Amino acid sequence: QVQLLESGGGLVQAGGSLRLSCAASGKPFGSNVMGWYRQAPGKQRELVATITSLGTTNYVDSVKGRFTISRDSAKNTVYLQMNSLKPMDTAVYYCNLYISLTDRNYWGKGTLVTVSS
């Protein structure tokens, strides 16, 4: 059974930084993509950033240059370093794992990030 455990959310002032972590437990995943999505109040969940098992990254335009996604494959952990945070970044951030072999998605429970102005 795959489980994702997120940590690192919290309250920060605009311009500040936070680092989110997500550890995945379970069997070896093989080819996979790990990523972060977010959902602000009253809005749909949106992709923030993804990273493949080969290290290829992808970002939504609104976070490019401010957020960095990385992973430690030995620990099955993905990180999201968020700098220059803005009030518009306020949302619940969800960790996602997509396993290519089984074509399945797994989600964490989410961690709240609040950016005050």
Side-chain angles (χ1 to χ4, degrees):
Q1 183 72 12
V2 176
Q3 290 186 323
L4 303 178
L5 182 61
E6 301 129 328
S7 61
L11 173 65
V12 64
Q13 288 188 332
S17 298
L18 282 175
R19 187 191 196 209
L20 305 183
S21 300
C22 173
S25 61
K27 297 181 179 180
F29 306 128
S31 177
N32 64 82
V33 181
M34 296 191 79
W36 293 94
Y37 291 69
R38 66 186 179 187
Q39 187 166 17
K43 294 188 177 181
Q44 290 187 329
R45 190 174 298 189
E46 66 169 353
L47 180 148
V48 177
T50 60
I51 184 167
T52 71
S53 48
L54 297 179
T56 301
T57 59
N58 180 51
Y59 298 90
V60 67
D61 286 346
S62 60
V63 307
K64 286 181 179 177
R66 300 189 297 122
F67 291 10
T68 302
I69 190 169
S70 61
R71 65 187 293 168
D72 183 337
S73 294
K75 297 180 179 180
N76 288 329
T77 299
V78 64
Y79 307 96
L80 186 68
Q81 178 66 42
M82 305 185 292
N83 298 328
S84 301
L85 282 160
K86 305 175 181 180
M88 63 172 281
D89 296 316
T90 294
V92 177
Y93 283 71
Y94 296 91
C95 179
N96 173 266
L97 167 65
Y98 170 74
I99 298 176
S100 304
L101 182 63
T102 58
D103 192 27
R104 290 192 64 177
N105 271 294
Y106 299 90
W107 293 93
K109 293 183 178 180
T111 184
L112 178 63
V113 172
T114 303
V115 184
S116 63
S117 57

